[in-house]
Amino acid sequence: MSSTNFLHLPHQQLRRRKIFGGIKPAPHKAASLRSRIMPMPLPPQLILPINQYHGTNSSPLVKVGDAVLKYQALTEKLDHTGAALHAPTSGRITAICSAPIAGHPGNAALCIHLQCDGDDNSLELQPCLNHDQLTGFEVLRKIDAAGIVGMGGAGFPTAHKLRLAIEHGTELLIINAAECEPYISTDEALLRERAREVVIGAELLRTACHAPRCIIAIEEDKPAAIAALRSALAHSPIELMLLHSTYPTGGEKQIVQAVTGLEVPVGQYPLNLGILVHNAGTAYAVYQAVAEGKPSISRIITLTGRALQTPKNFEALIGTPAAFLLKLCGVQEQHHLTTVMGGSLMGLQLAHTEVPVTKTTNCLIAATVEDFPQPEPELACIRCGFCAEVCPARLLPQQLYSFARTHNHTQLQSYGLDDCIECGACAYVCPSNIPLVQYYVAAKQDLRTLSVAREQSEHWQTRFQFHQYRTKQEKDSARERRIPTALFPVELLPTDSSPITSVQFSRQLAQQEIADAVARANAKRISRLATDTQMPQHPAKDKE
Amino acid sequence: MITMLLIDNFFINILFAIAALIGIALSIRSSLAFWYSTSNQQKTLIDQINALLPQTQCGQCSFEGCLPYAGAIARGSAINQCPPGGEATIIRLAQLLNDYPKPLNPAHGRIEPIKIAFIREAECIGCTKCIQACPVDAIIGGAKLMHTVIASECTGCDLCVAPCPVDCIDMLALPAQNPWQWQLPTELQSTAAARR
């Protein structure tokens, strides 16, 4: 339980709160915000990765050749870190096999391939009209069944996060609508057009996690979205907080700092402070799941970049290939340099555009040379310290850079590489054009491999020690077994006056046994000598 | 003059004796302290070295296991006798011991990708010899019954292969879990330059 009380926070702040450090890149959001959120025509095929969040465990419920209806469940989660997946449209399952997905080159995952039949036949939905009277548990169950994951980017299953929040005790729910990264405009478009739904979703989330206070935090450079939110919040206990527009205010730990002024300690989460952060897109998905009964089958994706004739926001079905969406926006192949999934600072370059969009894809940038000019050659670090000034995690990027170059793992850890959120602010301001984040990503991977190997070797060491202990025990017990404890002759039992060790005791016993055996053998030999003279052969041997 | 000299000699002798006594006492104390400190340091040093070794317990270093080899290194054995650890282990050991990294001693084996043991179960006669050889108890099975290797526990030490009377144990390469590796931009440039 957290002891922090957030009720003392002022309702409206005169001075916009700021995060530590941060940069102010050009937003590039106007192009995609010129039109409304557009519905998308059905693509011929959908590719649905079974695990929408890395590290989750889901197994398919359908077989190849099955006909499925829209909203039908395709996978079931195997543990709490998984989320269910539903059919975005009706059609037939043509394959369940490994297919390329976004990420590093050659990244592939198990995907369900759905051939769309174009009819869009759906299961009957069960809308809930009295959603404001539901209990927290009922809301949580509906969110769980709808397979909602965090729409901000990390994709952590929402129901699991809520459960953790209930365990920790939540004092404050923050709806993150900061959306600070350049090019991405999904939350702004969503709030501009569907602010009422987002507010209802936020109220449902608040019911689910029993938070006494809820704040919607948005950057101040989105006037249309703020106006829409103000009118939607007119009779609601939920508050609106405007933030300084700085990148990366939208990071989970950063928005906590911007809203409450508290810093999340190293190695902890906002949950440890009694704060729960959810994205505005997640709140909208919660509204759809609870009020309309719709599982999470679509999300709003920004399509932008100078290679597109008509940049816009789409309500895209999960599993749509990126190439299909780019074609809808009129991609000009002659200018198209590269495609980036995500924003311009944290996004991943796509190796090819046949990869599907997932529940966490918020933006596709079809970039020209003007968007992403060829990087200048990397120069030596001049230790100007600009990177340390902008690092929102208050790290020392130049130190981390030199330790990463020399593979100094102990120093990397003690300088807090694990707290790096890979926001790219340091590389953005670097006058020597050093791609700092690439160094950190590689170094983080090194540290992970090392720690896995160390855990493995410790495990083997304990097993080896146990093996040695076990073999020694077995040897000892075998030696013990040779001493018949119950048949000790009374005169040999140790007395109190002369304590003898078990070794001496067994030695005495052995000597006694040897003496007995010799006596028996002698007796036998004497008797045999006596009988041999009388009986020449054993009678039994004659019969053979 | 002579008496003066005698007195001088006498005093000088006494002074020498006192100095010698103090010297002996100091040397005993320091040697005692040195002995204490080295014995303690050695213990922690062995643990530090042991933490760097891969703990496969394969015995290729010609010692019984990783901990005995760690003890031997602490007493001055060569650091380049661990093939499963490879170059990375040698470099880390050299850093720890302020030594120069050396190439792996080929007498102790070659650096090979990690493999694990696999018993062809149809051919196993149930002799339990591999079970006795396994240093981490990763093989299960009873006498005259089929044995099998717990893949997640196998260190790939190779020790079960030799005792098997029917040669039914294979060392199989592990399937690569994550073939993609992020590389430092400097290393990327150097590999690109090497390709050119």
Side-chain angles (χ1 to χ4, degrees), chain A residues 445 459 461 463 467 470, chain B residues 50 134 136-137 153 181 187:
Chain A
Q445 180 190 263
H459 177 69
Q461 197 183 342
R463 278 187 80 89
H467 170 84
R470 183 181 62 80
Chain B
N50 194 33
C134 181
V136 289
D137 294 337
E153 307 291 358
Q181 293 284 314
E187 286 169 3

Side-chain angles (χ1 to χ4, degrees), chain A residues 458-471, chain B residues 50 55 57 67 135-137:
Chain A
E458 273 169 20
H459 177 69
W460 283 339
Q461 197 183 342
T462 47
R463 278 187 80 89
F464 178 58
Q465 281 165 356
F466 179 74
H467 170 84
Q468 285 184 318
Y469 168 77
R470 183 181 62 80
T471 40
Chain B
N50 194 33
Q55 304 298 334
Q57 318 296 348
L67 188 60
V136 289
D137 294 337

Side-chain angles (χ1 to χ4, degrees), chain A residues 196-500:
Chain A
R196 199 184 60 85
E197 286 87 341
V198 174
V199 169
I200 294 171
E203 270 163 10
L204 290 167
L205 278 172
R206 191 164 76 109
T207 318
C209 70
H210 314 298
R213 202 169 167 187
C214 175
I215 294 174
I216 298 183
I218 187 166
E219 284 193 344
E220 60 186 346
D221 60 350
K222 301 178 174 63
I226 293 168
L229 263 178
R230 283 237 161 87
S231 65
L233 287 170
H235 303 290
S236 170
I238 298 175
E239 299 145 42
L240 182 69
M241 188 179 277
L242 303 188
L243 307 174
H244 228 276
S245 50
T246 314
Y247 175 83
T249 308
E252 195 177 34
K253 291 183 175 183
Q254 278 63 42
I255 203 154
V256 168
Q257 194 188 0
V259 171
T260 65
L262 293 174
E263 230 176 306
V264 182
V266 172
Q268 291 192 5
Y269 296 97
L271 286 179
N272 300 83
L273 298 176
I275 304 169
L276 179 64
V277 184
H278 273 299
N279 185 258
T282 315
Y284 180 68
V286 168
Y287 162 80
Q288 283 189 316
V290 179
E292 298 178 0
K294 270 189 198 168
S296 166
I297 58 155
S298 65
R299 68 156 295 144
I300 294 162
I301 295 176
T302 304
L303 273 111
T304 185
R306 288 188 173 86
L308 297 183
Q309 284 175 328
T310 52
K312 56 170 82 83
N313 278 288
F314 266 117
E315 181 149 20
L317 297 179
I318 308 298
T320 311
F324 183 80
L325 288 169
L326 293 175
K327 210 171 280 173
L328 283 181
C329 292
V331 61
Q332 295 163 308
E333 288 299 340
Q334 67 275 21
H335 302 305
H336 190 188
L337 174 77
T338 178
T339 314
V340 171
M341 193 178 260
S344 61
L345 284 155
M346 289 181 78
L348 278 166
Q349 199 172 340
L350 293 185
H352 61 97
T353 53
E354 281 309 313
V355 298
V357 301
T358 63
K359 290 181 184 177
T360 58
T361 311
N362 47 14
C363 183
L364 281 170
I365 308 173
T368 60
V369 186
E370 286 169 46
D371 282 312
F372 299 136
Q374 194 67 25
E376 306 264 317
E378 183 182 337
L379 304 172
C381 173
I382 54 169
R383 303 186 73 79
C384 60
F386 289 171
C387 48
E389 281 169 23
V390 297
C391 179
R394 294 213 223 184
L395 302 175
L396 295 173
Q398 57 193 16
Q399 297 295 93
L400 289 173
Y401 161 70
S402 67
F403 296 140
R405 280 190 71 143
T406 51
H407 300 276
N408 194 338
H409 297 121
T410 33
Q411 286 290 63
L412 279 172
Q413 260 167 341
S414 63
Y415 275 74
L417 179 67
D418 295 333
D419 295 316
C420 168
I421 59 167
E422 296 167 28
C423 66
C426 48
Y428 182 84
V429 296
C430 181
S432 294
N433 313 308
I434 303 172
L436 290 160
V437 183
Q438 291 183 33
Y439 284 94
Y440 306 150
V441 171
K444 272 185 181 177
Q445 180 190 263
D446 266 13
L447 284 184
R448 254 197 313 276
T449 353
L450 256 183
S451 78
V452 167
R454 199 165 295 152
E455 252 171 51
Q456 176 74 282
S457 74
E458 273 169 20
H459 177 69
W460 283 339
Q461 197 183 342
T462 47
R463 278 187 80 89
F464 178 58
Q465 281 165 356
F466 179 74
H467 170 84
Q468 285 184 318
Y469 168 77
R470 183 181 62 80
T471 40
K472 189 174 172 291
Q473 283 288 100
E474 274 173 11
K475 256 181 211 163
D476 289 353
S477 68
R479 198 182 301 141
E480 288 287 318
R481 246 179 279 132
R482 269 184 242 127
I483 306 165
T485 41
L487 298 171
F488 282 155
V490 181
E491 64 272 19
L492 286 175
L493 276 178
T495 52
D496 291 339
S497 56
S498 64
I500 28 176

Side-chain angles (χ1 to χ4, degrees), chain B residues 99-135:
Chain B
D99 198 354
Y100 292 106
K102 296 171 235 179
L104 182 78
N105 187 349
H108 293 274
R110 282 176 299 154
I111 299 171
E112 281 174 11
I114 300 165
K115 291 179 174 176
I116 57 167
F118 175 77
I119 294 177
R120 290 196 301 278
E121 289 163 1
E123 295 169 37
C124 174
I125 55 167
C127 69
T128 73
K129 283 195 169 136
C130 56
I131 296 181
Q132 290 158 32
C134 181

Side-chain angles (χ1 to χ4, degrees), chain A residues 17 24 151 156 160 174 186 223 228 282 295 319 371 497 503 535:
Chain A
R17 280 183 187 267
K24 274 179 183 282
M151 298 285 188
F156 195 74
H160 188 47
I174 298 174
T186 56
T282 315
D371 282 312
S497 56
V503 178
M535 256 196 258

